[in-house]
Amino acid sequence: MDAAALLTLTGLRVDRGGETVLDGLDLELRRGEVAVLLGPSGAGKSTLVLAAAGLIEVAGGAVEARGRVAAALQGAALARRSVRANVEAALGWWGVPRPERPGRATRALERCRAAHLADRAAGTLSGGEATRVHLARAVALDPDVLLLDEPFTALDPAVRGELLAEAGDLIRDARRATLVVLHDRTEAWAIADRLLVLLGGRIAADGAPAAILGAPPSEEVAAFLGFTGRLELAGGEILRLRPGQVTTVAPGEGDLDGTIEALIPEPDSAIARVATERGRLEVRVAVPGPSTGELVGLRLLGGARFEARA
Amino acid sequence: MSALVDGLRDGIHLVVTGDPQLYDTIGNTLSIAGRSTLIATLLGVPLGCWAALGGGRSHRWVRLVLAAGLRLPPVAVGLVLWLLMWPDSRWGGGPLAGLGWIYTTNAIVLAQTVLALPLVAALVAGGVEAVPGGLIQQARALGARPLAIAALAMREARPAVIGAILAGFGTSIAVVGAILVVGSGLSDATLATAALASWNAGGADAHAVANGLVLLALFVLVAAGATSLQHRRTAWTQLRS
């Protein structure tokens, strides 16, 4: 176990409902870092959190924690009592002496900008307010390892944006290792020091977000991270591109030409799905702009290259 | 018709004027039912909580037994207890003969407890099962140990727990058959049995009606308490969703 590692999962295997969800997963969480775990629905992200927190039985491998692990699970499940009483109850479960609880609860609620909710009944909170209290309850414990499972789900975009902007400061602690499970890639860039991608029951990518986005370790990871374009190059190489890595130009003036198959509207633009002789790409186009069936030139601005599989 | 009217008038008179025999029976009823409800609560609440929170086979079996216990016929319970407590004689004695409880108030308390216990435990189990599983798992994820989990579940299911205790009390004060079997020498020990004994002795006399009136009043109080708690619980459920 690395000196800075606070949680180590080694060869972790978890079976649920007769199926293997995690299969030989290795992961080490280190002191001071905020790692974000991404993965498609059903990849086993929540299962990983439950296993790491010791809440479910594992079929194989080992979970080794240096210090105490606390998890804020998906969905802000609060008890039928006041907000303050919810946080203090969690401190009680954690073993914090009674005299210390009010002060710690107040400080945690203040950090999560939920101090004004302290005397409200938990059942009267909105989704955003409940999420803040849910976070405060976990942060108040000051665990050595903090696991947060999709803390921003079920929030409207405005509240999510507000919480995301604050989340980095809120959850980052030099003494703590933090793992945040997210479903939305864009949320990950806001808070992650380290990005983990869970595919096929294993960690398929592990590194700094910019490094992984710049050079995804596999075509599957690239596809998951939004490299939606796929071209087959000469020599058996595969080029994966994000929409932002392609621009449209006049036919014959770019790297290759293609025909627009479909236009997917976005608030201020559209994503054009373009068929070329080497494969399909997606490119962001202005609205109004080219229309379906139109021939466009495409200039490629980077992308990630992979060996084609036999 | 006049017998009913006369019985009601005389019965109300006994209640209002504080007839010593009637109030003695009320005191006995509340004391015996209180003791059996207390025992059923002390045993049934933790048992129901344990059965609801555990996911193992033994927990499922206990839930099944409790559900079956809801339908125990009081006379059958009385007969079984009578056999268990039957004193030593030339035909032998029951395994509980040594207690010397047969035809005592202890036997009545035991019979009422046996009938109330599965009811209390099953209703508590139902209430605890209705507590959102996410909350229980979240508490575990924040370090709660089994006792703290049980305390949380009971607190969340508080209306159901109180309702279960009231239902246990209601069962205790209403039992007739089992008490007549194990406490036949004490047929005027509780309101329910005293009403029946008075009726059998002389028809619709004032004491039978007075016993019945007070018993009905107690039932209404218990039912009102349980209904009130149930409404509070429903309101909370709507709020949470």
Side-chain angles (χ1 to χ4, degrees):
Chain A
M1 196 171 182
D2 186 293
L6 293 180
L7 183 73
T8 305
L9 312 179
T10 311
L12 188 69
R13 206 186 106 213
V14 179
D15 298 334
R16 300 192 88 177
E19 292 198 1
T20 299
V21 180
L22 302 177
D23 189 10
L25 182 143
D26 295 314
L27 173 63
E28 203 169 68
L29 291 180
R30 293 180 282 271
R31 190 186 302 276
E33 72 179 0
V34 175
V36 167
L37 179 69
L38 287 175
S41 294
K45 303 186 293 294
S46 295
T47 301
L48 190 154
V49 168
L50 293 173
L55 297 172
I56 54 173
E57 284 187 23
V58 300
V63 177
E64 193 183 345
R66 186 178 287 159
R68 294 185 70 186
V69 181
L73 305 178
Q74 201 171 345
L78 299 171
R80 191 165 51 109
R81 54 182 88 179
S82 74
V83 163
R84 183 190 304 281
N86 264 283
V87 181
E88 288 187 14
L91 287 164
W93 299 332
W94 197 248
V96 175
R98 194 177 291 273
E100 292 180 26
R101 292 177 204 165
R104 281 179 68 165
T106 302
R107 282 195 294 279
L109 288 168
E110 281 170 354
R111 283 187 68 191
C112 296
R113 297 195 186 179
H116 63 290
L117 305 171
D119 297 321
R120 287 259 303 273
T124 66
L125 301 178
S126 68
E129 291 169 337
T131 299
R132 284 176 187 276
V133 176
H134 188 43
L135 277 173
R137 188 170 55 173
V139 167
L141 306 185
D142 199 17
D144 301 290
V145 179
L146 178 60
L147 310 172
L148 303 173
D149 190 358
E150 305 220 13
F152 311 115
T153 42
L155 296 179
D156 60 69
V159 176
R160 185 185 296 139
E162 193 184 334
L163 267 177
L164 268 172
E166 301 163 5
D169 293 336
L170 184 64
I171 59 180
R172 196 177 304 282
D173 190 313
R175 296 162 301 165
R176 182 162 65 218
T178 306
L179 177 72
V180 187
V181 171
L182 295 174
H183 184 71
D184 188 338
R185 293 192 303 269
T186 55
E187 291 175 358
W189 311 131
I191 55 176
D193 300 329
R194 178 182 169 199
L195 190 66
L196 305 160
V197 179
L198 182 64
L199 291 175
R202 291 171 183 240
I203 300 296
D206 181 354
I212 291 182
L213 199 63
S218 69
E219 199 184 341
E220 289 76 15
V221 171
F224 173 73
L225 291 177
F227 289 70
T228 49
R230 187 177 193 275
L231 299 179
E232 291 178 10
L233 305 180
E237 269 191 324
I238 301 295
L239 180 64
R240 301 293 307 226
L241 298 120
R242 287 181 280 120
Q245 294 175 316
V246 186
T247 56
T248 52
V249 293
E253 291 186 6
D255 297 306
L256 73 169
D257 292 340
T259 306
I260 295 178
E261 285 185 323
L263 286 165
I264 303 156
E266 290 192 331
D268 300 312
S269 59
I271 294 288
R273 191 167 291 156
V274 184
T276 75
E277 61 183 7
R278 294 187 176 278
R280 285 185 167 76
L281 291 174
E282 287 188 348
V283 56
R284 188 163 280 109
V285 295
V287 175
S291 51
T292 305
E294 191 174 325
L295 184 70
V296 291
L298 299 163
R299 180 156 295 150
L300 310 182
L301 310 167
R305 289 169 187 268
F306 303 95
E307 289 295 319
R309 271 183 257 161
Chain B
M1 188 68 186
S2 69
L4 177 64
V5 173
D6 291 348
L8 268 175
R9 189 191 59 222
D10 295 345
I12 291 168
H13 179 73
L14 288 175
V15 174
V16 172
T17 56
D19 174 68
Q21 187 187 342
L22 172 66
Y23 279 85
D24 197 37
T25 310
I26 293 172
N28 265 349
T29 304
L30 294 177
S31 165
I32 292 171
R35 275 186 280 167
S36 54
T37 305
L38 180 66
I39 298 168
T41 300
L42 291 175
L43 297 174
V45 171
L47 178 66
C49 192
W50 174 83
L53 286 176
R57 187 174 291 178
S58 56
H59 300 83
R60 285 197 295 275
W61 272 106
V62 168
R63 286 202 290 272
L64 192 70
V65 170
L66 292 178
L70 291 174
R71 293 161 186 82
L72 281 179
V75 172
V77 169
L79 286 172
V80 170
L81 290 176
W82 183 84
L83 288 168
L84 291 173
M85 291 188 288
W86 178 246
D88 282 327
S89 65
R90 62 190 170 121
W91 297 287
L96 301 179
L99 294 173
W101 283 2
I102 193 77
Y103 307 138
T104 67
T105 51
N106 282 347
I108 299 175
V109 170
L110 179 61
Q112 290 185 350
T113 303
V114 169
L115 289 164
L117 174 63
L119 181 69
V120 172
L123 292 179
V124 167
V128 170
E129 277 175 352
V131 174
L135 177 61
I136 301 295
Q137 193 167 43
Q138 181 58 72
R140 286 196 179 108
L142 296 175
R145 296 181 182 281
L147 268 181
I149 294 287
L152 170 69
M154 303 258 280
R155 197 179 188 286
E156 290 295 303
R158 194 171 42 194
V161 172
I162 296 171
I165 295 168
L166 287 176
F169 182 75
T171 296
S172 293
I173 59 171
V175 171
V176 173
I179 296 177
L180 288 178
V181 176
V182 299
S184 61
L186 303 161
S187 59
D188 59 346
T190 71
L191 286 166
T193 53
L196 189 64
S198 301
W199 184 273
N200 284 339
D205 76 353
H207 270 106
V209 175
N211 287 332
L213 283 175
V214 175
L215 192 58
L216 282 173
L218 285 173
F219 270 129
V220 169
L221 279 176
V222 170
T227 306
S228 159
L229 287 167
Q230 190 61 39
H231 282 169
R232 280 178 60 188
R233 185 180 176 207
T234 307
W236 169 72
T237 307
Q238 286 166 351
L239 192 68
R240 295 282 298 178
S241 62

